[in-house]
Amino acid sequence: APAWAQRGWPQGMDRAVMKAAEYPTVVLSADGFSWLKILTLGWLDRSTQFQLSPAVRVRDESNRFIVYGKLPEHVGKAVAVRRDTQNNINEIWILTAEEREVYRQRAREKEAQAQ
C-alpha cells in the first residue's frame, strides 16, 4: 500500500469508467462522474468508443505494465487515459478504489467552489 501512495500519473489525463475492451477499441463512460465533463470538456457525456494506439501502455492497480489483452479483466473499473494527436488512447492507468475516491473528493471540492 505505501508504494501505491507514491503512484502518480501524468497531468492532463482524463478519468472514466471502462465499459468494454476488445482490441483495438475500448468503450468509456462518465458513469456518474459529474466532474468528468469539467475535466474532459464534455467528450464523455455518454459511453464512447475509442481506438487504442498500437503502442498503448497499460498500468494496473499495482503500477505494473500489463498487455492490452488483459483489459477485459478490468471492465467496470475507473481508469485514467491519455490520448494522442489522432485521438487514439495511448496510455491507460487502472485506478485503485482509493485513487477513485480521491478524485471524487476533489470533484466535490471543485463543485463546492464553483457554487
Side-chain angles (χ1 to χ4, degrees):
W4 292 350
Q6 299 298 321
R7 181 170 107 140
W9 49 85
Q11 294 293 321
M13 294 186 84
D14 298 312
R15 280 76 174 181
V17 173
M18 188 167 39
K19 294 296 191 178
E22 186 174 325
Y23 190 79
T25 63
V26 293
V27 177
L28 302 177
S29 173
D31 198 38
F33 284 86
S34 62
W35 48 271
L36 193 60
K37 184 174 180 179
I38 296 167
L39 294 176
T40 63
L41 303 176
W43 67 269
L44 284 179
D45 286 340
R46 56 189 173 282
S47 292
T48 306
Q49 184 172 347
F50 291 91
Q51 290 288 119
L52 294 174
S53 165
V56 65
R57 295 185 324 175
V58 182
R59 290 182 186 249
D60 68 6
E61 300 95 332
S62 298
N63 213 30
R64 299 173 295 196
F65 285 105
I66 62 172
V67 295
Y68 52 74
K70 296 281 186 181
L71 280 176
E73 297 173 14
H74 299 282
V75 167
K77 294 183 180 178
V79 295
V81 299
R82 182 192 307 257
R83 295 174 287 144
D84 63 17
T85 56
Q86 287 81 36
N87 208 31
N88 296 327
I89 294 176
N90 62 2
E91 196 169 352
I92 300 174
W93 292 58
I94 300 163
L95 303 180
T96 64
E98 293 84 11
E99 291 167 336
R100 185 177 186 174
E101 187 54 38
V102 165
Y103 277 95
R104 283 191 172 166
Q105 179 60 34
R106 286 183 187 171
R108 285 191 287 268
E109 290 171 5
K110 283 187 176 193
E111 286 175 0
Q113 290 174 355
Q115 294 178 356

